[in-house]
Amino acid sequence: MKLPIIDLSSPDRLSTANSIRQACIEYGFFYLVNHGVENDDMVKAFDESRRFFSLSLEEKMKLARKEFRGYTPQDPTLGLQGDSKESFYIGPMADSTNANLNQWPSDESLENWRPSIESFYWKLFGAGKKLLSLIALSLNMDDDFFEKIGAVDRPSAFLRLLRYPGEMGSHEEICSAHSDSGTLTLLTTEGVPGLQICRDKLREPLVWEDVSYIEGAFIVNIGDLMERWTNCLYRSTMHRVKRTCKERYSMAFFLDPHPDCIVKCIESCCSESSPPRFAPIRSGDYMDARTRNTPV
């Protein structure tokens, strides 16, 4: 599959916004290049991810996940059923209350790990915020639309470090088919294949297409909340990770609005002939419902 390539540094913002619009309507996925996060920064972040996952299970379990932050071990019962991975979540850091919920390895176990990962988090946030302004333009809104409605004021932005072991069962998927529940996801990998997308989730049988690796590029996808915001104009596309028998590291940055932000159909995405499909909802309530698998 050849996904569209979006250049975040292009001076022609309107042309870039039009390209984003086409990508979000047709694919829900695109590559993001010249995003301001240097290749050396990504290499260092992957090195830090390896350092963490190389710790003993006992050491990692001291940071066991709570409040959606911290370490989740690989579930041995899933080795033959998919979703065979371990992960570490870093949560919102835009205010001290949320930032203090994060868990960090001690300097004794991983020296300078926290400042390295915090620095990478903020660089991803900067790229994501610039991209959101272009997405607003792509929807024929002012480029500060998401700022004005409070979506990027202390947003619910999470960084997830992931490791998929190389040896596992015979199941085809190591991350089962899903769509992301939030607004926007920026994904980076080191080139180990496995990511696939399904552009038509209603088609039977499902058709899965491989997403190629482009060095230095983020793979960006639209989540369910953005699909809701745009009245289903922009698509939240199903994706999965298939088994390759190779150890695989990836990092996903989920840029979601502040929980108190009200998500309602964007004005340019509805009309008399295409009325809003969904009632307005508080972002935090929507995400909580998705966590509980409750219809919203």
Side-chain angles (χ1 to χ4, degrees), residues 8 32 35 37 122-135 152 184 186 218 253 255:
L8 194 58
L32 189 68
H35 40 62
V37 183
W122 285 116
K123 288 172 181 175
L124 290 169
F125 176 74
K129 190 174 178 180
K130 288 179 185 176
L131 179 57
L132 269 180
S133 72
L134 285 166
I135 289 176
V152 291
L184 198 63
L186 282 69
F218 291 136
F253 187 71
L255 183 53

Side-chain angles (χ1 to χ4, degrees), residues 5-293:
I5 298 175
I6 304 300
D7 184 347
L8 194 58
S9 70
S10 171
D12 191 342
R13 287 171 58 81
L14 286 179
S15 176
T16 303
N18 287 334
S19 296
I20 289 173
R21 183 181 181 91
Q22 184 176 359
C24 291
I25 290 173
E26 294 185 9
Y27 298 92
F29 268 78
F30 54 86
Y31 296 108
L32 189 68
V33 300
N34 296 323
H35 40 62
V37 183
E38 299 297 332
N39 196 55
D40 287 349
D41 295 325
M42 290 194 272
V43 169
K44 183 176 182 181
F46 275 115
D47 288 343
E48 298 292 8
S49 180
R50 278 193 178 78
R51 286 178 67 203
F52 175 79
F53 288 119
S54 295
L55 293 174
S56 67
L57 181 60
E58 179 184 11
E59 195 69 25
K60 288 182 286 191
M61 288 305 295
K62 292 178 182 178
L63 305 168
R65 182 174 166 181
K66 56 186 177 183
E67 299 286 344
F68 301 103
R69 282 94 164 159
Y71 175 69
T72 302
Q74 179 185 340
D75 187 342
T77 65
L78 294 178
L80 299 176
Q81 303 171 28
D83 280 21
S84 184
K85 59 181 179 290
E86 55 181 334
S87 65
F88 188 83
Y89 265 111
I90 298 99
M93 294 196 291
D95 66 85
S96 57
T97 301
N98 271 307
N100 289 337
L101 295 174
N102 283 316
Q103 303 186 72
W104 300 100
S106 67
D107 245 13
E108 289 73 25
S109 59
L110 287 179
E111 187 177 3
N112 292 325
W113 197 83
R114 176 177 178 174
S116 293
I117 294 298
E118 284 183 327
S119 174
F120 188 62
Y121 175 101
W122 285 116
K123 288 172 181 175
L124 290 169
F125 176 74
K129 190 174 178 180
K130 288 179 185 176
L131 179 57
L132 269 180
S133 72
L134 285 166
I135 289 176
L137 282 178
S138 78
L139 294 165
N140 301 315
M141 306 299 286
D142 293 338
D143 62 0
D144 61 351
F145 168 76
F146 289 107
E147 291 186 60
K148 287 192 289 190
I149 64 170
V152 291
D153 175 27
R154 295 179 292 119
S156 184
F158 282 82
L159 173 60
R160 190 182 191 190
L161 312 181
L162 291 150
R163 175 188 170 268
Y164 301 87
E167 296 180 4
M168 54 192 68
S170 58
H171 195 276
E172 185 180 12
E173 299 175 349
I174 55 176
C175 178
S176 57
H178 67 285
S179 60
D180 291 348
S181 58
T183 301
L184 198 63
T185 304
L186 282 69
L187 177 75
T188 181
T189 75
E190 295 180 296
V192 175
L195 179 64
Q196 295 183 318
I197 71 172
C198 174
R199 283 189 276 174
D200 187 352
K201 52 193 171 190
L202 300 178
R203 179 177 175 179
E204 290 292 344
L206 297 176
V207 176
W208 292 98
E209 300 173 271
D210 293 319
V211 176
S212 301
Y213 171 71
I214 296 180
E215 185 176 3
F218 291 136
I219 300 169
V220 177
N221 66 278
I222 296 301
D224 297 343
L225 201 59
M226 182 64 81
E227 184 177 79
R228 186 185 183 104
W229 238 327
T230 63
N231 213 26
C232 298
L233 175 67
Y234 287 1
R235 63 166 67 186
S236 178
T237 303
M238 279 179 57
H239 50 285
R240 68 178 186 178
V241 180
K242 68 174 182 178
R243 183 173 64 96
T244 62
C245 297
K246 294 180 180 179
E247 186 179 38
R248 185 179 191 271
Y249 288 84
S250 65
M251 294 180 286
F253 187 71
F254 303 96
L255 183 53
D256 300 327
H258 187 278
D260 288 334
C261 179
I262 302 301
V263 176
K264 62 179 181 179
C265 182
I266 293 173
E267 182 182 332
S268 63
C269 298
C270 56
S271 63
E272 275 191 33
S273 60
S274 180
R277 303 186 187 193
F278 309 100
I281 190 170
R282 181 178 169 273
S283 173
D285 294 338
Y286 177 85
M287 299 300 282
D288 288 346
R290 283 297 305 269
T291 301
R292 298 191 305 270
N293 290 319

